[in-house]
Amino acid sequence: MEKLEMIGSFVQHNWTVINDGLVEVPEILVTINFPYETMSGKWLLYLTEMPILSGGSSSYCVLPQNSVDVLNLTHPRGKDDNGNVKTCFPRETRRKRREAEVLPTPQAQSKKTLQFKCNSTVSTARCFPIKCYFRNVESKGSTKIVINSRLWNSTFLEDYVDEDVLQIQVQGVVEISNGSYIKEKEPGNDMTLLTMDVYRDFTISPTTPSLQWWIILLAVIGGLLVLILIILCLWKCGFFERKTMNYKYATVEQKAGRKAKKDKTYMADDIHYTGGF
């Protein structure tokens, strides 16, 4: 993989947090669980850059190590002193990821709509947290988070090509990290899900069902019976009889010729002997 365009389709997630209260909030923490790979270890969403933030007096994000552009595809690759290509992943981690890409995925056998999500009960994908902090968010003010990534197409083409729709869910949670004196009016809307549907842009031609063994056997037997009937009809019509009339006539002529030659020889002998005396 040399370029971002080779990975797959461009995906952009936009998150907006609105301070609908009457006072300024000292600090807001937004946690986004980003699904980056499947449970079998294959890429799902590839984070290409750090999140883009706006709003508040100051803002920043904290991400796990080796989570942004781990293959170093955004910028030109450099080389170290030994001539090896530089990358954010250690060599062993990259080797393990390549080995994981050949593992079978049991989810691909299902014909239902598949969901990739991370939650506390059932997780069908692996996620890492993106924690973004916004300070001094004014009343009626808003903050925005833009996350750019790429959909890893080869994963879907290899393991989920038979699926019509794949859903990728990204969970976001907002909380007031500094301001215990502030009470929320609607604490139930602190969590939301962003759902992305993935469709394939090609149709799969139906596979031709294989013939049953008994159909092949009946076809062979039927062909043999037809061949036998044709042979019998030709035999009844005399197709296989030999005509020997010419050969008999030739034999008679040959015998007659030999006899005539023999008689002629005897006659010549008689004449010879007569003339001698």
Side-chain angles (χ1 to χ4, degrees), residues 58-102:
S58 62
S59 57
Y60 64 96
C61 287
V62 178
L63 283 77
Q65 188 179 6
N66 299 328
S67 59
V68 180
D69 190 21
V70 295
L71 300 179
N72 199 18
L73 301 177
T74 304
H75 303 286
R77 296 185 177 186
K79 294 185 178 180
D80 55 18
D81 297 336
N82 298 325
N84 298 321
V85 178
K86 292 181 179 180
T87 180
C88 298
F89 258 162
R91 186 174 300 273
E92 292 120 359
T93 308
R94 286 185 284 130
R95 185 182 299 112
K96 290 179 180 179
R97 185 173 298 275
R98 286 196 297 267
E99 292 174 353
E101 289 185 355
V102 299

Side-chain angles (χ1 to χ4, degrees), residues 140-205:
K140 308 302 178 181
S142 62
T143 61
K144 190 174 182 179
I145 305 173
V146 179
I147 299 177
N148 295 325
S149 62
R150 289 275 176 173
L151 187 68
W152 203 273
N153 285 347
S154 62
T155 298
F156 299 95
L157 293 176
E158 292 173 0
D159 294 345
Y160 310 102
V161 68
D162 294 332
E163 305 296 335
D164 295 329
V165 182
L166 298 173
Q167 289 186 350
I168 302 176
Q169 291 186 358
V170 185
Q171 184 186 61
V173 180
V174 61
E175 58 182 308
I176 300 175
S177 59
N178 187 9
S180 57
Y181 57 91
I182 300 177
K183 293 184 178 181
E184 298 184 52
K185 294 181 180 180
E186 299 179 5
N189 62 357
D190 292 345
M191 190 273 293
T192 185
L193 288 176
L194 191 153
T195 302
M196 179 179 64
D197 294 335
V198 180
Y199 300 89
R200 62 169 182 262
D201 57 354
F202 60 91
T203 57
I204 302 176
S205 58

Side-chain angles (χ1 to χ4, degrees), residues 19-20 49 89 94-95 128 144 209 212 223 232 242 265:
N19 179 13
D20 202 20
E49 57 182 319
F89 258 162
R94 286 185 284 130
R95 185 182 299 112
F128 60 76
K144 190 174 182 179
Q212 300 293 332
L232 289 176
R242 297 180 61 184
T265 303

Side-chain angles (χ1 to χ4, degrees), residues 215-231:
I215 297 178
I216 300 175
L217 180 61
L218 289 178
V220 173
I221 295 175
L224 291 176
L225 291 176
V226 171
L227 181 61
I228 292 172
L229 290 176
I230 293 174
I231 294 174

Side-chain angles (χ1 to χ4, degrees), residues 10 17 42 46 53 81 110 186 216 250 261 264:
F10 173 75
V17 179
K42 292 189 176 183
Y46 181 82
L53 309 178
D81 297 336
S110 175
E186 299 179 5
I216 300 175
K261 186 177 180 181
K264 185 177 181 180

